[in-house]
Amino acid sequence: MSDSCPPPLSKGYDHYDTVSYTPSPQNIPRARRHVARLVAHWGHSGAAGDAALVASELCTNALLHGCLRDRLFRVETSLTGTALRIAVTDPKGERLPQGRPADPDAQFGRGLLIVRTLVDRWAVEHLAVGKTVWAEMAVPEMAVTGRADA
């Protein structure tokens, strides 16, 4: 998988970024920090923490359930006037995310619950090879000054 060309800004995106990562655990915090910096730089520092957590959970799911050795996973971050989208693409289309109750003592199993709590909508897109899991959260519209309205 390689970085895709960014969609044209005329398609409704104010900002767009994509990064591909090797399937290794040290890339989860890299992706999380990258998304947080982007969101803050794009004028929504108040949403950076939640965006970082969503990115971390989606990337962790991709690493644990969707990655293949020597195949990259991709994180796309985009912003429109009212929504921030984080999308993670991995090569295993047959392994779909499933929310299920976690045992109280279980170390894993709460990622999608966290994502569902933080975002307004999320879904899975099936691809010819692999899948994309995306999540969107509403962000305040930007004022003329370029700052988010409080």
Side-chain angles (χ1 to χ4, degrees):
M1 199 176 328
S2 62
D3 287 347
S4 63
C5 295
L9 295 180
S10 63
K11 294 278 185 186
Y13 294 111
D14 297 326
H15 298 283
Y16 178 88
D17 180 82
T18 183
V19 179
S20 292
Y21 297 93
T22 58
S24 59
Q26 68 264 23
N27 284 324
I28 304 301
R30 285 183 181 131
R32 179 178 57 238
R33 286 189 304 267
H34 183 72
V35 167
R37 282 192 297 265
L38 281 174
V39 173
H41 179 74
W42 292 345
H44 294 283
S45 57
D50 287 350
L53 184 53
V54 168
S56 183
E57 293 300 333
L58 295 180
C59 289
T60 298
N61 279 351
L63 184 68
L64 292 175
H65 307 295
C67 285
L68 298 168
R69 185 177 177 184
D70 299 326
R71 297 288 306 273
L72 303 176
F73 69 95
R74 182 177 62 236
V75 180
E76 295 175 88
T77 312
S78 58
L79 179 68
T80 66
T82 59
L84 172 69
R85 176 184 277 226
I86 300 161
V88 177
T89 301
D90 66 58
K92 273 191 168 178
E94 68 276 8
R95 296 285 309 264
L96 300 178
Q98 298 177 18
R100 58 183 177 268
D103 183 277
D105 297 325
Q107 182 178 2
F108 299 99
R110 294 172 185 83
L112 288 177
L113 177 61
I114 292 168
V115 169
R116 284 192 302 239
T117 300
L118 294 174
V119 303
D120 297 298
R121 62 192 153 275
W122 73 280
V124 179
E125 292 179 15
H126 299 273
L127 305 174
V129 175
K131 68 181 170 302
T132 297
V133 181
W134 60 263
E136 284 185 354
M137 58 179 61
V139 293
E141 288 193 55
M142 300 297 280
V144 176
T145 62
R147 297 182 184 265
D149 292 335

